[in-house]
Amino acid sequence: AVVAHRNAAAGDAVSPRGADWAGQWRTLRAAGPFWRMVVFGLVWGATLNAFSAFQPVFMLSVLGEAPAAASVPLALSLLFGALALPVWGRLIARFGARPVMFCAVPLWTAVNLVWAVLEPELRWLLYPVWAFTGAINAGIVLGQLNLLMKLMPADARGLA
């Protein structure tokens, strides 16, 4: 990593002067669409994490899951999210991040409606729900990152 950092990649122009960090921050602060996307990501992440904190409590206390069994759906979510990333990448490359997210967010919400009817007899539903949720959430996060990078002004990309 140190060698790669010291040697410019082929085709990269090396600036004879240092980076103008203050100028890049000024440019970034003036980028309204970029900051709207940052706020959207903040709200999405806060909402997701605020409600997700109650899922393990529900699984342990209401559904009577053992702690080891309660971690399996989370592992499925991560696994299916990682497996779905190439598909989401192709969809975003073909259709763009906004249309893909426009379809993924309602789908993610619809899948999570299963939590409203979940009872101990239906605990098997946790596995497909968490797997599908992980796969869909991977597309949402990839779309957010894609939009954020596109909305970042070219003059401030040194900050990324």
Side-chain angles (χ1 to χ4, degrees):
V2 174
V3 173
H5 177 69
R6 289 186 181 153
N7 299 320
D12 286 353
V14 179
S15 175
R17 60 181 180 83
D20 179 19
W21 297 108
Q24 288 186 36
W25 275 111
R26 279 191 301 277
T27 303
L28 190 59
R29 277 196 306 266
F34 173 81
W35 290 109
R36 281 193 293 277
M37 187 62 203
V38 168
V39 169
F40 172 77
L42 265 165
V43 171
W44 178 265
T47 303
L48 183 66
N49 288 308
F51 291 111
S52 296
F54 298 104
Q55 290 173 344
V57 174
F58 177 77
M59 290 169 63
L60 295 172
S61 63
V62 176
L63 297 179
E65 290 283 330
S71 64
V72 172
L74 176 61
L76 282 174
S77 175
L78 295 172
L79 173 67
F80 277 79
L83 292 173
L85 279 172
V87 174
W88 286 115
R90 284 192 292 277
L91 286 171
I92 289 170
R94 182 172 181 183
F95 300 109
R98 284 190 298 176
V100 169
M101 287 176 60
F102 187 75
C103 294
V105 170
L107 189 59
W108 179 86
T109 305
V111 168
N112 281 302
L113 289 175
V114 171
W115 284 94
V117 297
L118 207 55
E119 296 177 358
E121 299 80 36
L122 298 173
R123 75 179 70 172
W124 63 269
L125 281 173
L126 285 173
Y127 301 103
V129 165
W130 277 67
F132 202 56
T133 300
I136 296 169
N137 198 42
I140 295 168
V141 171
L142 186 62
Q144 286 176 338
L145 176 65
N146 215 302
L147 279 175
L148 201 59
M149 291 296 108
K150 286 181 180 179
L151 292 171
M152 182 172 239
D155 295 342
R157 291 212 173 131
L159 297 172

